[in-house]
Each structure stands twice: as C-alpha cells, then as structure tokens.
C-alpha cells in the first residue's frame, strides 16, 4: 500500500514538472538597458531608457517598466507594452522624466506579472538642467568642440553654458517631446534624410515650435544641405576656396578684433531667403518659431573653432542674428529648467470652480427616496388606517424599503450619475506671427474606489505640472518609497493610471497636442495717436469672442464681443494730472480705458493687477448672484494663469468655451459628462513709430547689459540682463550698464530721453561714456527727499549719436551722499521719444 502511494506521488510530481517546463520556457529572456544619451542624463526633460530584449523562450507579450523617484514618499512608474517572438531580439525606447537623484535605475521585463529579466543601470554623467544642450550629428567630438561652453571656458562671460551630446540615426528621438531634450542641433556630415518618417516629423514639429539647427557647409555641404533645402531654399554648390571670412564676421557681429588671415573652404548660399551673415558666411532662415542657420563653411573648420577665443563664434552668431529666440532659450532653461514646463502654469483651482451639470434625470433618485419616506411614514399609516389594516404596517415598511432599494439600484445603472465626469480648461497663446500653442488641464473623477486610468484619444496626457527637480544630497533609495504616485503607460494611446483612491476623488492631468480651434487669425496692433494709446483687434477666427479685455502695463480697456470677421478699436486716454505730490485715487487711476501716468505706475505698481479683475467680470445681466460670482472667479483665475505664462507688454484676452473637443476616456469609457472653459491670449504688436512720425520707446524696449570698466575707465560689455528677473546692484561702488540701441530708426531725432530704475530708494547720479573723449559725462541726478517725499530729477538731453559705441550706450550709476552699505538699484531701463522725418 505504501509503495503504491509513493508511486502515485512520484507520477504526480513528474507530471507537474512537465507542465511547468513550458511555462519556464515561455518566460526566458535577457535584457540590456542604458539611460539618456551617451549615458548622460539631466532632470525635468524627457529622455530615453533604451532597452534590448532577447527572447530565448516562447512568444511573449509583456511590459518593460522602470520606477523613478518623486520624493521620499512617492515614486512614478513608466511602462511600455511589447510583444516579442520566440528567438528574436527587440530594441525599444521608453521615455521617462527624472526629477530625483538616484544612484541607479532598475529596468524590468515583466510577463504575466512575473519579472523575467531585469538590469540595474547607472548614469555616466549628469547635466545641470539650466544648461543648453546641443545634439551633434556627424563628425566626431572634436569637430563640435566649439559648441561647448563651461564655467571654465566662457569667453563672453555671460554664464550661459552649452553641452554637446552625440546623436545618430539610432538615437535620434522619434517624437517631438523627446526631441525637446535638445535646445539646438548641429549637423556636419550627416544626411538627415536617412532618418525615419517619424523622426523627420518630430524634427519638423520641434523646429517649427522654436528649435534651432546649425547646418555646416564646406566640403560636407552636399550631404548636409539637401534635407534642409525645403526650409531654406539653399542647395549645395561646388566647394571653393572662400578666403578669409572672419573680417566679414567681425563686422557682422559688431566687435573689434583682427581677422585670422586663414583661408576656409566654403560653398555658395544662393537661393537663401534668410538673413545673411558676414558677407554670405551664413544664412539665418526663420521657420515659424525656429531657425535654420546654414553655414558656407564646415563646422569642423579648425581656424574658426579658435576664432576670437575658443567657442565664441556660435554664441556671437546667435546673439547677433536671433537674439530674442536665443535669450528665450537661455531664460527658459535658467529660470524654468527645474520645472516640467516653464511655459504653462497648471492650476487645479480653476477646474475645481467648473461644475459639471447633471441632467433633469438626477432628480429621480430623490423622487424615489421621497416616495419611500412618505409611504413608510404618515402616508402608509393613513392608507392602512382607511383600509383598517394597520397591523400590516410592520410588513409594509420593510417591503417599501426593498422596493426603494431596488429602484435606486436600477436608477444607478440606468442613469448617468455614476459615469465618469471631467472638468477642464484650455489656454491658447497666439504670438505676433499668428503661431499658437497651449494646453488643456483636466480634472477627472469617477465612482468607485478602484484605480483609475485616464486617456485622451486626441491628445497626449501628462502628469500634472507640479513636477520639479528635487535636489537631495543623499541619493534616495527607491526601496524606501511607500506609494506609487502614478503609472504612465505608452502605446497607441498614452494612459495615466492612478492608484486606488476614494470614490469620486479627483485626479488632475495635462493634455498636450489636443486639437484646438485655429485662433491664429486673431491679431492686433497698438500705436500712439497724440497722447492716447490706440489698439486695433481683428477676429479672423470662426469663433465669437466674448468679454474681451486688453491688458497692458499702462492700464486696461474692455473690448465688446467680437464676431468672426469683426475689428474693434479701443484706446487708453490719460486723465488730467493730479496735484503735485498727491497721486489720484486708485479707483480713478485704474479705471477702464485710463492711461496710467508715470506717477500712477510708480505708486501702484504692486497693486495694478488687483484692479484688472474688474475687467474680467462677466456681464451680470440674466445672471443670478451665484452665477455671476462663479463666472467672476473662473475668469479671474484664467486671466492670472495666462498672464503668468505671457511676457508681452500688450495682450488681448478673450473667453470662449469650446476651444477644444477633448476625447477623454476613463477606464476605456468615453467621458460624456464634461464642462469646459477657455481663454485665448493674443500678443499685440507695438509700433513705436506713429503715423505722424512721432516715436516713443517704452520701458524695456532695448536689451540691457551689465558692463565693466578697464583700468582706464573704458567700458567693457558683459552679460545681458533679463528684464523679467529682479536683480539688485549695490551702489557702494559705481555700476556700469549698456543699452543696445541698434534698433533705433534711421534719422530719428531724440527729443526726450530718460534712464532710470523702476524702484529708487537712494539718490544717485548717472554718467554717459563719450567714446571720442574717453570720459564719463554727467547726465542725470536723482535726489530722494525722505522728509518731504518730493524726489527731484535733473538731467540734460545729450546728442545721442556722440555717445554710441558699436551701437551701445554705456551709462554709470553712482550713489550721491554719504556711503551707505544698503544703497542699491534694480535693473535700469531707458525710455525715449523723438521724431522721424
């Protein structure tokens, strides 16, 4: 008996082993992975985790996943579903966003919930998020050394650092978001037409949204130019000896120096429609918001790599030809490089103010409950009393409860009350060229406590824009992270899955690239007409614009609704000046259509936008008090969000619901219960030259630089200052600055000029540098009267042309009075008026 039992057990064990063998075989694979580009990473930019899986078992479908930190309590997971045939090798790229320092990252290949293979990977290097990154295609590292700017090698002393990373056809990103990892591309000996269609589409979108590509010429022009000809119109000619081109570059960049005297191989740039540089040494072609810089010479030309000190060539070229775009890139990385998206401020308080209306059927459950209460109470007692069956009351109440419960259950299944709901708002920005971009912030909710998966069938979902670089001197160990914040799964439709939460808890996310209404046809201009600032706004979209308002640094003015095809004109008109030393009442100063005076701007600079809210209120007609208050809150919040994202001085803003038809899904179910709000912000073009020839340059019209002085007192140009970033400069010693006045109209006769700071709490004196004499001439005295509160300004009107040096006006601030260690000024600005005959 015992032997028979043992025999049966042995047979069962053998069968079990045979059954397990195929399962083991189907889950056999090896995995190789690396992170970033050339094993180099940075934070808060989308970068790839590259995976190579060799399947040694049966056909398998699984998921590649990697966990990254958020902080010491949460972490995020990125997933990519894959299917691999037996005996094959598959290469894939998993985009991730890193925000937390980690020593290593674990990449796993998971099949049927089991980890089949995994690898720990460590970055080979880290780039500071504020650095500009250049993707180099073709050549070798030495050929692109001139694109590297570091703290140790910063010849222009601008503290704008560049890092070069190599790219090839295999590592080139295939989506626009991943390509935004790079600020610039440099092409020298690489045929871009070898890229896949997806890669070329990503490049096209990246370029048009603000990317910069520098294309080398010379002997490699035939290989480089052909792909970009559709953007530039330039085809490769025959390479020839171009002689010494550095003399033309010196003149183009407006700097002093000696030409190299060395010959360089160049090609013709005929056919180019962009801005020529240095006697046809390069052509700068705008492509919507981006630029293609086509060089007649090869990037790898050794003489040019050392011209005017190492690495100066490309930075000077961008500063001279596309300064605005280059400065936007620098500013975006310097001040926004530690945040997931510095151009969009996502505020959940807006979506929380948007209510999703229920249909009339929502009253049916209340009808059932009311009927139950009535019949189970007095109504049932009265009925049974009339029938003389009061003893049935004990059975009637439970029966009614069962009926009411079944009715409520049936209604919950039939009515849409438990279906997912979503509230969202869309912000669209339109620049002066008609280019638009924007985003949609969503707050979604559903019944039930299980996990929640959200997707946008016509857009790309991202986690809420609260991701920022989290520094920690002690690299965090993922094993200590207790909670999963979300799972981002790539595929035909990108989804975000949030872990289990309470019923009807809301989750927030952002949808990028959702199709929005074409609003590029909404445009406007502003100009002076006497003492009034006049605005003209045209609506060439197909949407009616309601409750418009023009916001400026000098006041606001409402604009009535604009129907498609309509043009509206509005103006800011100055009020009579208040008595000296007695600024007018704030309610008067900040009225609709009032042009603020310099006194008002100085006195109320901190509180101006508190009064702008009045311009955003909805029309109270046909509105209840509650509806009016709700509309006011929503629109004020939208104004604040859009204002934080826009830097233009003159903007037309209008509210319009229905900017996008968002195809949102929750757990695969289309969301039909939605409510949305929208706002567009249009940058208005300011023309400083009026029709009558009068010229007015307002504050911050000209770039301002910090300047130094040599031993003889001659000024030296240093770094450009960001007018939107507050900076303080102590006046214990003198401080020199420079204004780039190269944009002044030809033949302009200056009638008024002022150099000042926005906030002045100390007396100072300003001198201007005279290039001909080499001396600093006194220009202005500003005296602060702390007792009477009446500050005094004394200045002269200089002959501006005599004080310009290579297009720059140099000024020096010095403190007046006794030395004070607290005396300082903020970034100065220059205003100017005159006439052009």
């Amino acid at each position: 008996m015992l032997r028979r039992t043992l025999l049966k057990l042995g047979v069962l064990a053998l069968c079990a082993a045979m059954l397990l063998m195929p399962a083991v075989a189907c889950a056999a694979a090896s995995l190789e992975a690396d992170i970033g580009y050339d094993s180099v990473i940075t934070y808060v930019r989308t970068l790839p985790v590259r995976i190579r899986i060799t399947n040694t078992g049966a056909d398998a479908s699984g998921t590649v996943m990697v966990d990254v930190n958020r902080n010491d309590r949460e972490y995020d997971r990125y997933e990519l579903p894959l299917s691999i045939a037996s005996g094959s090798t598959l290469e894939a790229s998993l985009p991730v966003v890193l925000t937390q320092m980690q020593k290593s990252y674990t990449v796993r290949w998971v099949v049927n919930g089991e980890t089949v293979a995994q690898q720990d990977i460590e970055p080979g290097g880290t780039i500071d998020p504020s650095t500009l990154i250049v993707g180099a295609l073709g050549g070798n590292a030495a050929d692109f050394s001139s694109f590297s700017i570091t703290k140790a090698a910063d010849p222009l002393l601008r503290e704008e650092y560049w890092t070069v990373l190599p790219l090839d056809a295999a590592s080139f990103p295939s989506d626009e978001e991943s390509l935004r990892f790079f600020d610039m591309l440099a092409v020298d000996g690489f045929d871009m037409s070898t890229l896949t269609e997806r890669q070329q589409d990503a490049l096209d979108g990246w370029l048009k949204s603000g990317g910069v590509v520098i294309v080398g010429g010379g002997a490699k022009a035939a290989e480089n130019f052909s792909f970009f000809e559709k953007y530039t119109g330039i085809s490769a000619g025959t390479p020839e000896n171009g002689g010494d081109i550095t003399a033309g570059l010196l003149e183009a960049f407006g700097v002093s120096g000696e030409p190299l005297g060395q010959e360089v191989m160049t090609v013709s740039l005929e056919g180019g429609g962009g801005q020529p540089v240095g006697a046809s040494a390069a052509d700068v072609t705008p492509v919507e918001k981006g630029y293609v810089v086509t060089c007649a010479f090869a990037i790898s030309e050794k003489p040019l790599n050392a011209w005017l000190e190492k690495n100066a060539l490309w930075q000077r070229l961008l500063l001279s030809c596309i300064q605005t775009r280059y400065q936007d890139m620098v500013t975006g990385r310097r001040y926004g490089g530690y945040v997931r998206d510095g151009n969009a401020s996502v505020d959940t308080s807006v979506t929380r103010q948007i209510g999703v209306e229920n249909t009339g059927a929502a009253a049916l459950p209340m009808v059932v409950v009311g009927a139950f209460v009535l019949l189970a109470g007095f109504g049932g007692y009265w009925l049974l009393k009339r029938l003389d069956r009061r003893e049935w009351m004990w059975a009637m109440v439970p029966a009614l409860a069962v009926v009411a419960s079944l009715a409520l259950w049936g209604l919950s299944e039939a009515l849409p009350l438990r279906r997912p709901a979503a509230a969202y708002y869309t912000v669209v920005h339109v620049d002066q060229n008609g280019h638009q971009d924007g985003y949609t912030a969503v707050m979604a909710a559903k019944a039930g406590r299980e996990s929640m998966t959200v997707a946008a069938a016509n857009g790309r979902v991202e986690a809420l824009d609260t991701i920022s670089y989290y520094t920690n001197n002690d690299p965090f160990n993922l094993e200590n992270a207790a909670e999963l914040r979300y799972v981002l799964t790539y595929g035909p439709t990108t989804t975000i899955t949030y872990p289990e939460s309470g019923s009807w808890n809301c989750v927030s996310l952002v949808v990028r690239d959702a199709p929005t209404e074409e609003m590029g046809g909404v445009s406007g201009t502003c100009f002076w007409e006497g003492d009034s600032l006049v605005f003209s706004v045209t609506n060439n979209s197909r949407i009616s614009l309601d409750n418009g308002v023009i916001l400026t640094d000098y006041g606001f003015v409402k604009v009535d609704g604009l129907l498609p095809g309509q043009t509206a004109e509005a103006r800011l008109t100055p009020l009579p000046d208040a008595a000296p030393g007695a600024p007018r009442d704030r309610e008067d100063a900040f009225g609709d259509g009032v042009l603020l005076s310099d006194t008002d701007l100085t006195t109320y600079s901190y509180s101006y936008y508190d009064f702008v809210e009045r311009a955003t209120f909805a029309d109270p007609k046909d509105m209840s008090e509650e509806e009016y208050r709700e509309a006011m809150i929503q629109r004020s919040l939208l104004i604040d969000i859009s204002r934080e994202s826009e830097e233009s001085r003159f903007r037309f803003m209008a509210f319009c619901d229905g900017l996008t038809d968002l195809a949102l899904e929750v757990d695969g179910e289309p969301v039909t219960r939605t409510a949305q709000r929208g706002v567009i912000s249009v940058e208005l073009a300011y023309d400083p030259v009026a029709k009558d020839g009068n010229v007015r340059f307002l504050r911050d019209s000209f770039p301002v630089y910090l300047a130094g002085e040599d031993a003889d007192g001659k000024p030296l140009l240093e770094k450009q200052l960001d007018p939107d970033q507050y900076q303080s400069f102590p006046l214990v010693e003198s401080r020199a600055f420079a204004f780039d006045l190269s944009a002044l109209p030809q033949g302009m006769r200056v009638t008024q000029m002022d150099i000042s700071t926005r906030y002045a709490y100390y007396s100072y004196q300003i001198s201007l540098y005279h290039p001909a004499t080499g001396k600093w001439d006194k220009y202005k005295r500003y005296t602060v009267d702390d007792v009477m509160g009446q500050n005094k300004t004394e200045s002269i009107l200089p002959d501006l042309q005599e004080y310009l040096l290579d297009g720059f006006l140099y000024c020096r601030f010095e403190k007046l009075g006794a030395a004070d260690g607290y005396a300082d000024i903020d970034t100065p600005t220059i205003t100017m008026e005159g006439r052009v005959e």
Side-chain angles (χ1 to χ4, degrees), residues 337-401:
Y338 298 90
V339 180
R340 181 69 179 93
D341 188 347
N343 295 322
S345 174
V346 178
D347 191 342
T348 58
S349 61
V350 180
T351 48
R352 292 184 185 278
Q353 296 294 333
I354 303 174
V356 179
E357 292 186 4
N358 287 315
T359 63
L364 291 178
M366 299 305 300
V367 172
V368 172
V369 172
F372 168 74
V373 172
L374 178 64
L375 292 177
F378 174 78
Y381 178 81
W382 177 82
L383 179 62
L384 293 178
K385 182 179 178 181
R386 292 290 302 269
L387 298 174
D388 197 21
R389 291 291 187 269
R390 284 173 291 182
E391 66 274 13
W392 289 2
M393 195 70 181
W394 65 271
M396 182 179 183
V397 173
L400 288 173

Side-chain angles (χ1 to χ4, degrees), residues 64-301:
V64 173
M65 59 180 62
V66 59
D67 294 337
V68 299
N69 295 11
R70 175 64 177 92
N71 55 41
D72 58 354
R73 297 180 304 277
E74 301 170 313
Y75 65 95
D76 308 329
R77 176 171 295 165
Y78 291 85
E79 295 182 344
L80 179 64
L82 296 172
S83 295
I84 309 177
S86 175
S88 65
T89 298
L90 180 65
E91 295 184 358
S93 178
L94 174 62
V96 302
V97 178
L98 307 180
T99 62
Q100 165 72 46
M101 288 192 297
Q102 285 178 231
K103 182 178 180 181
S104 64
Y105 302 86
T106 300
V107 183
R108 295 183 292 153
W109 167 239
V110 179
V111 179
N112 296 326
E114 297 292 332
T115 299
V116 177
Q118 69 178 44
Q119 181 182 355
D120 292 338
I121 52 178
E122 295 186 10
T126 302
I127 301 173
D128 188 286
S130 64
T131 300
L132 297 182
I133 300 178
V134 182
L137 295 116
N140 52 51
D143 294 340
F144 296 95
S145 61
S146 57
F147 285 91
S148 178
I149 303 176
T150 65
K151 291 182 179 180
D154 181 14
L156 300 187
L157 301 177
R158 294 176 58 88
E159 299 179 2
E160 300 163 358
Y161 306 126
W162 298 14
T163 293
V164 182
L165 291 178
L167 280 175
D168 56 24
S171 60
F172 196 91
S174 58
D175 66 277
E176 186 177 341
E177 178 62 29
S178 295
L179 192 54
R180 290 196 184 103
F181 180 91
F182 300 94
D183 301 283
M184 292 176 277
L185 296 177
V187 182
D188 199 37
F190 183 85
D191 185 0
M192 302 291 283
S193 63
T194 60
L195 299 176
T196 66
E197 184 177 352
R198 286 188 61 193
Q199 289 173 322
Q200 293 184 31
D201 289 343
L203 173 61
D204 182 77
W206 171 85
L207 176 61
K208 291 178 179 178
S209 63
V212 175
V213 183
I214 298 177
V215 183
K220 301 178 181 180
E223 194 172 7
N224 298 336
F225 283 12
S226 58
F227 177 84
F228 294 99
E229 185 176 357
K230 59 187 176 184
Y231 299 113
T232 64
I234 301 173
S235 57
T238 303
E240 59 184 15
N241 190 334
D244 181 13
I245 65 173
T246 55
L249 292 175
L250 286 169
E251 182 179 357
F253 299 158
V255 297
S256 58
E258 293 296 327
L260 285 178
Q262 300 182 29
E263 298 179 348
V264 175
M265 185 73 69
T266 63
V267 294
S268 170
L269 299 181
E270 292 183 4
Q275 176 184 353
V277 181
S280 299
D283 176 273
V284 181
T285 304
V287 183
E288 294 192 6
K289 291 185 178 181
Y291 292 87
V292 176
V293 180
T294 308
C295 301
F297 52 89
I299 288 175
S300 56
E301 284 284 356

Side-chain angles (χ1 to χ4, degrees), residues 224-530:
N224 298 336
F225 283 12
S226 58
F227 177 84
F228 294 99
E229 185 176 357
K230 59 187 176 184
Y231 299 113
T232 64
I234 301 173
S235 57
T238 303
E240 59 184 15
N241 190 334
D244 181 13
I245 65 173
T246 55
L249 292 175
L250 286 169
E251 182 179 357
F253 299 158
V255 297
S256 58
E258 293 296 327
L260 285 178
Q262 300 182 29
E263 298 179 348
V264 175
M265 185 73 69
T266 63
V267 294
S268 170
L269 299 181
E270 292 183 4
Q275 176 184 353
V277 181
S280 299
D283 176 273
V284 181
T285 304
V287 183
E288 294 192 6
K289 291 185 178 181
Y291 292 87
V292 176
V293 180
T294 308
C295 301
F297 52 89
I299 288 175
S300 56
E301 284 284 356
K302 301 305 179 186
L304 293 174
N305 286 350
W307 175 66
L308 287 183
E309 300 185 47
K310 184 181 178 182
N311 305 332
L313 172 61
W314 306 110
Q315 194 177 16
R316 287 185 185 276
L317 190 150
L318 298 185
L319 285 169
S320 299
C321 302
I322 55 172
Q323 184 181 55
T324 300
R325 177 63 194 130
Y326 174 68
Q327 204 59 45
D328 286 345
M329 288 193 299
V330 172
T331 302
R333 294 304 185 195
R334 179 176 293 167
Y335 303 117
Y338 298 90
V339 180
R340 181 69 179 93
D341 188 347
N343 295 322
S345 174
V346 178
D347 191 342
T348 58
S349 61
V350 180
T351 48
R352 292 184 185 278
Q353 296 294 333
I354 303 174
V356 179
E357 292 186 4
N358 287 315
T359 63
L364 291 178
M366 299 305 300
V367 172
V368 172
V369 172
F372 168 74
V373 172
L374 178 64
L375 292 177
F378 174 78
Y381 178 81
W382 177 82
L383 179 62
L384 293 178
K385 182 179 178 181
R386 292 290 302 269
L387 298 174
D388 197 21
R389 291 291 187 269
R390 284 173 291 182
E391 66 274 13
W392 289 2
M393 195 70 181
W394 65 271
M396 182 179 183
V397 173
L400 288 173
V402 171
V403 172
S405 298
L406 291 174
L408 289 175
W409 175 81
L411 289 174
S412 69
E413 294 296 321
L415 298 179
L417 301 180
R418 290 176 56 84
R419 294 176 187 171
Y424 56 94
Y425 68 88
T426 301
V427 176
V428 173
H429 301 292
V430 182
D431 66 14
Q432 293 184 27
N433 298 318
H435 303 136
Q436 73 177 55
D437 56 41
Y439 65 95
T440 300
V442 177
M443 181 172 288
K446 73 164 190 175
R449 301 183 64 87
E450 68 276 6
S451 62
M452 180 175 175
T453 300
V454 186
N458 56 358
R460 175 173 48 86
V461 294
E462 290 182 359
L464 183 63
D465 189 18
T466 54
I467 301 178
S468 60
Y469 176 44
Y470 178 74
T471 57
N472 186 350
N473 293 328
D474 181 18
F476 184 68
N477 185 349
L478 189 60
E479 295 178 357
N480 296 331
E483 296 183 18
L484 177 64
R485 192 165 72 114
Y486 64 80
V487 179
L488 182 63
T489 304
Y490 296 97
T493 299
T494 303
T495 64
I496 295 183
T497 302
Y498 295 87
E500 178 181 341
S501 59
S503 181
W504 290 111
N505 273 4
C506 297
V507 297
S508 299
L509 61 146
V510 181
V511 179
R512 308 286 183 186
D513 305 328
T516 58
E517 287 288 342
E518 177 54 52
M519 306 303 296
V522 184
S523 60
T525 59
C526 52
F527 52 89
W528 291 97
E529 192 174 274

Side-chain angles (χ1 to χ4, degrees), residues 549-558 572-575 583-616 758:
V549 58
I550 295 173
L551 300 184
T552 80
D553 289 344
Y554 309 96
F556 69 88
V557 56
K558 295 181 182 180
L572 295 177
T573 303
L575 293 176
R584 62 173 63 92
D585 184 81
R586 294 194 302 178
E587 294 294 328
D588 293 333
F590 290 91
D592 179 20
V594 176
L595 181 68
L596 300 182
S597 66
D598 290 338
T599 303
D600 296 327
L601 286 169
T602 302
T603 306
Y604 302 124
S605 57
Y606 288 105
S607 59
Y608 165 59
Y609 283 105
D610 295 337
F611 295 87
V612 171
E613 286 189 354
R614 291 183 300 168
T616 69
R758 185 174 293 275

Side-chain angles (χ1 to χ4, degrees), residues 688-695 834-837:
V689 182
K691 297 178 182 179
D692 59 3
N694 286 319
V695 181
R835 281 195 60 82
V836 175
E837 301 298 340

